[in-house]
Amino acid sequence: MDIVTGAIAKLIPKLADLLVGEYKLHKNVKKNIKDLLKELESMNVALVKIGEVPRDQLDKQDKLWADDVRELSYVIEDVVDKFLVRVDHIQPDDATNKFKGLMKRTTKLLKKVKDKYGIAHAIKDIQEQLQKVAARRDRNKVVVPNPTEPITIDPCLRALYAEATELVGIYGKRDEELMRLLSMAGDDASTKRLKKVSIVGFGGLGKTTLARAVYDKIKGDFDCRAFVPVGQNPDMKKVLRDILIDLGNPHSDLAMLDDKQLVKKLHDFLENKRYLVIIDDIWDEKLWEHINFAFSNRNNVGSRLITTTRIVSVSNSCCSSDHDSVYQMEPLSVDDSRRLFYKRIFPFESGCPNEFEQVSTDILKKCGGVPLAIITIASALAGGQKVKPKCEWDVLLQSLGSGLTEDNSLEEMRRILSFSYYNLPSHLKTCLLYLCIYPEDSTIDRDGLIWKWVAEGFVHHGDQGTSLFLVGLNYFNQLINRSMIQPIYDGIGQVYACRVHDMVLDLIRNLSHEAKFVNVLDGTGNSISSQSNVRRLSLQNKKEDHQAKPLTNIMSMSRVRSITIFPPAVSIMPSLSMFEVLRVLDLSDCNLGESSSLQLNLKGVGHLIHLRYLDLSGTKIRELSAEIGNLQFLEVLDLGDNYQLDGLPSTICNLRRLIYLNIFHGKLVPTPGVLQNLTSIEVLRGILVSLNIIALELGNLTRLRELKVYFKDGSFDLYEGFVKSLCNLHHIEILSIDCNSGETSFELMDLLGERWVPPVHLRKFVSEMPSQLSALRGWIKRDPSHLSNLSVLFLDSVKEVQQEDVEIIGGLLSLHRLHIKSTHQTQRLLVIRADGFRCMVDFYLNCGSAAQIMFEPGALLRAEVVRFSLGVRVAKEDGNCGFDLGLQVWMYCGGARVGEAKEAEAAVRHALKAHPNHPRIYIDMWPRIAEGTH
């Protein structure tokens, strides 16, 4: 709730702890704290009410008072936190020198007395400052509307986005018109030329949605494809690199090339290739002219290039030749607008009730046929099973002003989005505004964002003992339901990330700037003055500048609580010694490994004693200072994707408050006795289990929800200890086991089958070790309800798959993704039944060349990706195989000649060509066969 109440919501319980804790404060100090508590509680209520009123409607005095109180609350929290750290943070005595240890204890006790007097003076100063703030404001209450009820998670939201996609253009006139402009049909010369189409229209109309829909529809017809967002202040080199990577050219040397070299590399890569490239959200004609050099007009193999932009002159620049076309994006029709609006609000009704028809018509008129406006407003009014009262609809209608027209679209869109923002509960306002730390068009990882919210103190416990992450997940889902952020789905329909529409980002950046919530440095001329009260800092320099100097404004940095640095801005990373109260430090994907100065800077991380969140994933660091163990408040430590990291200091296991620990591939090798300190841990990835005592200590981590472990040299006792511990972990949702112990790995899987009952929460099980399917059979036969939530099953080295296994696994009703690779297949025929795998989205079954995999008609009806192995001789004999879906086939060519392999491929393609559904197929030959092989 920082954006509304500053740090007061977090401060109140901390002050209460001072009264009941073991600090033995003087009674006068306690009385002052009690008075301060009462004053802060009263101010908290007033600030919440003020936060529900748009800033442009607030009385100026109230606005200034709220800003003053919020700012002062941060100062108070810093004072209290420093006091608590000084009093509580006592290091172990020096056992080698008893006299020296006694002197240390005496000194610290004396310092505690001094600190107690210090807190007394600080509280007195704070009360005086609060009185001054109050004196500057008339104490009359602010009149505000009643807060609305929070909206529950809506299961129909994905269908709504599908509906919006459909209305924007995947079907109907828009789709037909755009496909006509792309000239996809026919074999004449016009279809072979490189064709460019630019989609133009103002923000929120659905240009990206339309482009994405067409991209998904036709991408299978091209050799390579790319969809790359650009945005308002792009880095030219990053745009070119992203295009190359998306097209399938992810060479490590791309980072070393300049603009001209990247253009040439892109040009050479696309030579004689049939490609589809979409460049989304271009703002600058010069940028386009530079990129366009890579796309040669001599490409006559049917390539297509689509751009989207808000600016007519840019779209004309993108389509300079006679055979290029500009597509003017139009608003939705009245009927389509009504359909989209009603879909969100009345999902369980046959239509709109009579009493809402007129107000709906009036609201839609003001939305001007803009999908973003329609979905956002509808989400604010949606009440789940129960529609919000009509009086709230009337209030909304009056707040929308004149509505969207071509002349005032930006201003009125901001008004519409502002209504939805002020309709949020206080805690969601804070969480939403925090998203302005990310650059435009960012794919924002869901879990990383939630952990940041937790570390910042934005997430508050509901029921006692509830995971803060799960509470934060609820916040995330509510923001999606209210259409303030856009969900990004993985291959099985699960949300793993989000995106912020650029118009929503524009709104929250303005609100954040007014409230001094986040300072963003993106290389567009903004800066920080020495007088700025910088609390959160996002460094986003769009263009890499190796001559840039680090920020050195010490007065500003001393108050910073959170800093997020994106890779291009790492060169201006301030010295960590400048931060006094830092709680969040995110350096993910910043290359620290090649700079000795940055590595040296990182050594100072141990003094950041207030730190709650530290993300060093993908930074290429080679070592981590043992001082990391000083961070007693650290809750999140991410060291993933650092394969250069050579071991970790044992002091990591001193971090008793850790909730999340992610380490690259078995780099954490704990010594006996240390895991028992991590009793708060919920996510533990990358631990190497090498001793029986370590395996047993895992059983003490009873709050674990996700566990990823590695075994190298296993033994029966080691595996037995691990399984015994696993039986204590009743909250496990994700379990991943990687074992390179050869034949002994079978013992582990057998023990799991015999002695472990998967908890009902289990959603994902990954085994990257030699195993048999007997364990899985045992779990399902014993009690299938324990796997009722299993959605992902990954078994990478199974000895053999039998028909019984296929049918047992096919009966798992929640299974969306299956990956099984068999190593010693003997059963020749496996049949995928029509009544199995009812929810399967991503199917992978690789049995080499030994088995023929048949699909009954109607099998895998919901599957979007089907991948399976197919021996050359099987394919030649029966190319049909019962295919009834889109497929990706690994054709096993071991021992086959080139002629045989080509005959087999032709047989499969012929069977598919004759199929009435005309499914798309991708065939990979494995192993590769050289053309000269006989």
Side-chain angles (χ1 to χ4, degrees), residues 38 41 247 360 363 404 495 497 731 743 909:
K38 290 178 181 178
E41 286 169 348
L247 286 168
S360 295
I363 289 173
L404 283 171
V495 175
H731 300 288
E743 290 296 317
R909 291 193 182 280

Side-chain angles (χ1 to χ4, degrees), residues 142-335:
V142 183
V143 179
V144 296
N146 291 326
T148 57
E149 292 295 321
I151 299 173
T152 56
I153 296 172
D154 187 353
C156 299
L157 196 71
R158 195 179 185 196
L160 176 74
Y161 279 96
E163 183 86 1
T165 300
E166 178 181 332
L167 291 174
V168 165
I170 187 59
Y171 300 115
K173 294 181 180 179
R174 292 185 181 207
D175 180 49
E176 293 170 4
E177 174 66 12
L178 193 55
M179 294 298 289
R180 184 187 65 78
L181 294 176
L182 288 169
S183 303
M184 293 297 295
D187 295 318
D188 59 9
S190 64
T191 65
K192 299 298 183 184
R193 283 198 299 256
L194 170 64
K195 180 78 174 175
K196 300 172 187 172
V197 174
S198 184
I199 304 172
V200 63
F202 63 84
L205 273 178
K207 299 181 296 297
T208 301
T209 302
L210 176 59
R212 173 65 73 179
V214 171
Y215 176 81
D216 288 339
K217 186 174 184 178
I218 65 176
K219 63 184 179 182
D221 298 329
F222 296 85
D223 300 330
C224 54
R225 61 208 64 83
F227 193 113
V228 176
V230 175
Q232 203 162 356
N233 297 296
D235 175 4
M236 170 68 73
K237 289 199 291 185
K238 183 179 184 302
V239 171
L240 292 168
R241 284 198 301 263
D242 287 348
I243 295 173
L244 277 162
I245 291 169
D246 232 17
L247 286 168
N249 188 17
H251 291 295
S252 58
D253 65 340
L254 294 181
M256 310 302 295
L257 304 181
D258 61 23
D259 294 4
K260 291 181 179 178
Q261 290 170 323
L262 285 166
V263 167
K264 185 178 185 307
K265 193 170 188 70
L266 180 55
H267 182 278
D268 293 346
F269 179 78
L270 292 176
E271 193 73 26
N272 299 320
K273 286 188 176 71
R274 178 176 165 86
Y275 60 80
L276 171 65
V277 173
I278 296 186
I279 304 176
D280 183 42
D281 197 21
I282 303 175
W283 288 71
D284 186 2
E285 290 180 51
K286 290 182 178 178
L287 175 92
W288 165 250
E289 289 169 4
H290 197 98
I291 294 174
N292 192 36
F293 285 123
F295 302 103
S296 170
N297 285 321
R298 293 194 300 273
N299 182 297
N300 291 315
V301 290
S303 296
R304 297 294 181 263
L305 180 60
I306 301 174
T307 61
T308 74
T309 181
R310 298 184 190 185
I311 304 164
V312 173
S313 61
V314 172
S315 68
N316 291 332
S317 175
C318 294
C319 299
S320 54
S321 70
D322 293 339
H323 50 271
D324 297 336
S325 305
V326 173
Y327 179 81
Q328 179 69 49
M329 195 82 176
E330 299 294 339
L332 294 178
S333 68
V334 172
D335 288 342

Side-chain angles (χ1 to χ4, degrees), residues 751-796:
L751 282 170
L752 285 170
E754 294 168 8
R755 304 186 187 182
W756 182 56
V757 177
V760 72
H761 310 285
L762 190 69
R763 295 185 291 108
K764 181 177 180 179
F765 181 78
V766 177
S767 168
E768 299 188 61
M769 60 180 176
S771 60
Q772 302 184 80
L773 286 172
S774 55
L776 190 65
R777 291 185 212 120
W779 296 335
I780 295 173
K781 287 181 177 179
R782 192 182 308 138
D783 187 353
S785 66
H786 284 276
L787 296 177
S788 59
N789 290 307
L790 187 69
S791 62
V792 177
L793 179 61
F794 189 105
L795 304 171
D796 197 45

Side-chain angles (χ1 to χ4, degrees), residues 1 21 127 174 239 252 380 459 462 479 588 644 669-670 749 771 815 848 885 896:
M1 294 174 64
Q127 286 179 313
R174 292 185 181 207
V239 171
S252 58
V459 179
L479 287 175
S588 56
Q644 303 94 337
V669 187
M749 201 63 178
S771 60
L815 198 63
L885 39 135

